Amino acid sequence: MYKILVIEDNPDIVANIYAFFEPKGFELDNAHNGYSGLTLAASNHYDVILLDVMLPGMDGTKLCKKLREELHDKTPVLMLTARDTILDKVAGFDSGADDYLVKPFSLIELECRIKALIRRHEDDHFVHSIAVGALSLNNSEHTIMREGKSIKLTPTGFKILHILMSAAPRVVSKTELEEKVWGLDIPSSDALRTHMHSVRAQVDKPFDKIMIVTVPGVGYQIIDPNKSENAVV
């Protein structure tokens, strides 16, 4: 069965999570501060990590960034927090979190989100490398190249590009893209537009031809600009 790491310092919340998930066959580990949570995450395999933002020692946002940037750990992370402003949510996603749940929360909803994250993570690992024209993305190594040049994106930007490239040449609707990036808790109506601007600045701006196309009223797509039927003028 699935193994969950709960990094949370509130004993009541931890007890409720254990009482709900253990009878269902889930295996759980718990850390009460950021440092011990990071140690457990680095030393064991988990299917999902439940991560409180306000932790003693090291906060959840910093911990998540360390997991992604230093340990290159791609385990799905679901942030648990009392903070529910748009800026808090964007900060959580930019640190590498996959989903965001505001306290107090329903344990039934938590289970649904956990299962959705695990499914998406399993689906992502079926294809490790994708290429559209001169643009390539390696999911296992978390690298992006275009015309021999390395491209660096935030974790959210990487997700957006991965979704578009996996679907190419299909147009991905705005709604589908938001749901695949943020799950059930989309941060704001402008969040996708902001992240798309950053992705385009890295993927298209330094090059002669654009690959990310906006389809008005529908969504976005990735094209190979060197194919005549895809040429954008």
Side-chain angles (χ1 to χ4, degrees):
M1 192 52 176
Y2 297 122
K3 189 171 182 178
I4 303 172
L5 173 59
V6 184
I7 308 176
E8 166 66 64
D9 65 325
N10 185 313
D12 293 332
I13 292 176
V14 173
N16 287 336
I17 290 173
Y18 268 74
F20 182 83
F21 283 98
E22 280 193 325
K24 294 173 177 286
F26 288 82
E27 183 180 349
L28 292 91
D29 279 345
N30 173 229
H32 298 285
N33 62 70
Y35 291 112
S36 59
L38 185 63
T39 299
L40 280 175
S43 307
N44 302 281
H45 167 76
Y46 297 99
D47 295 290
V48 69
I49 297 171
L50 305 184
L51 178 60
D52 184 28
V53 173
M54 297 296 290
L55 287 167
M58 178 192 304
D59 67 52
T61 302
K62 186 175 181 180
L63 192 159
C64 193
K65 289 191 75 169
K66 282 184 173 291
L67 278 177
R68 300 305 194 217
E69 297 175 5
E70 296 180 18
L71 301 179
H72 305 291
D73 189 326
K74 299 179 181 63
T75 303
V77 173
L78 195 162
M79 289 272 194
L80 304 176
T81 180
R83 296 176 173 179
D84 62 351
T85 70
I86 297 302
L87 290 178
D88 289 325
K89 292 179 182 180
V90 170
F93 287 123
D94 281 346
S95 73
D98 298 275
D99 202 356
Y100 200 104
L101 193 55
V102 177
K103 300 174 183 178
F105 50 81
S106 159
L107 289 166
I108 294 173
E109 181 181 0
L110 177 61
E111 182 183 16
C112 289
R113 288 173 181 260
I114 286 172
K115 289 180 176 179
L117 283 176
I118 292 171
R119 283 197 304 271
R120 291 209 304 265
H121 186 65
E122 290 173 343
D123 289 344
D124 284 347
H125 282 73
F126 282 118
V127 179
H128 293 289
S129 185
I130 313 168
V132 178
L135 180 66
S136 63
L137 179 150
N138 189 300
N139 194 47
S140 59
E141 297 178 3
H142 217 263
T143 56
I144 306 165
M145 301 286 290
R146 180 173 178 183
E147 297 176 19
K149 297 179 181 178
S150 177
I151 293 171
K152 302 294 183 184
L153 295 177
T154 66
T156 301
F158 189 94
K159 278 187 189 177
I160 290 171
L161 188 63
H162 182 271
I163 293 163
L164 291 176
M165 292 181 70
S166 298
R170 179 173 68 85
V171 177
V172 181
S173 72
K174 179 176 179 288
T175 300
E176 179 185 348
L177 198 51
E178 288 175 332
E179 288 178 351
K180 285 186 174 180
V181 172
W182 291 294
L184 301 174
D185 204 352
I186 299 164
S188 76
S189 59
D190 292 328
L192 180 60
R193 184 184 306 170
T194 300
H195 285 292
M196 285 299 303
H197 178 79
S198 298
V199 172
R200 281 177 154 145
Q202 299 299 319
V203 174
D204 279 341
K205 193 171 182 181
F207 302 93
D208 294 332
K209 299 178 180 178
I210 68 167
M211 297 188 69
I212 301 174
V213 178
T214 301
V215 181
V218 183
Y220 304 91
Q221 72 177 145
I222 288 275
I223 64 165
D224 179 355
N226 294 318
K227 289 186 177 180
S228 57
E229 65 269 27
N230 288 335
V232 177
V233 295

